[in-house]
Amino acid sequence: MKKLALLCLALAMPVSAANVVIVNANNASATDMDAVQRIYLGKLKAFPDGSKALPLTYDQGDGTRESFNNTVLGKSESQYSAFWSKLVFTGRGTPPETVASQEEMVKLVGTNPNTIGYVDESLVNDTVKVVGTF
């Protein structure tokens, strides 16, 4: 009976922390999830305060990227790729730069006030601040 209770408790625990959208800790712009979506879809090239916005993402096939695309952007991976292919082909945009890991994402966002990215909330440190959760 004790083993069953422990198993139930283990299954009830969350598997991972939430994912969060981050900007540099010194970014004073009031960025909300609507602005995040518009930045990642190339419709907004600057933060609300007017400073240039440089979105970062992960390589195709990354689980955090898939979650972000589905939840925040409302697009599957294939829809997101097709969307950016069309913008690039017509000369109307450049897709977000890709990074190899969440640690690299935190490092880049933490050292450049114009960048925006997303990571597991457990990786947030004092060089970045959270502007949204997904």
Side-chain angles (χ1 to χ4, degrees), residues 16 109 117:
S16 65
V109 173

Side-chain angles (χ1 to χ4, degrees), residues 1-131:
M1 190 67 164
K2 196 178 213 180
K3 288 182 183 178
L4 179 60
L6 289 174
L7 178 62
C8 289
L9 182 61
L11 292 175
M13 296 174 80
V15 176
S16 65
N19 293 311
V20 294
V21 178
I22 57 171
V23 295
N24 184 280
N26 296 320
N27 184 326
S29 185
T31 306
D32 60 16
M33 290 304 277
D34 180 58
V36 170
Q37 182 184 50
R38 294 176 61 219
I39 288 168
Y40 273 89
L41 293 176
K43 296 175 182 178
L44 189 61
K45 306 234 184 277
F47 289 107
D49 70 356
S51 61
K52 186 175 181 178
L54 301 169
L56 303 173
T57 191
Y58 301 102
D59 293 324
Q60 194 169 357
D62 180 89
T64 306
R65 173 179 161 144
E66 287 181 26
S67 177
F68 179 82
N69 289 350
N70 288 326
T71 307
V72 178
L73 305 180
K75 296 187 180 298
S76 68
E77 183 61 46
S78 61
Q79 289 171 323
Y80 183 73
S81 294
F83 173 85
W84 275 108
S85 292
K86 181 179 177 182
L87 287 183
V88 169
F89 181 74
T90 60
R92 295 185 306 176
T94 304
E97 292 290 323
T98 59
V99 298
S101 70
Q102 292 197 29
E103 292 77 16
E104 182 182 3
M105 179 77 75
V106 171
K107 182 179 178 184
L108 289 172
V109 173
T111 57
N112 185 335
N114 294 82
T115 53
I116 181 170
Y118 50 93
V119 296
D120 185 286
E121 72 178 338
S122 66
L123 297 174
V124 172
N125 60 34
D126 62 352
T127 67
V128 299
K129 68 179 176 180
V130 174
V131 295

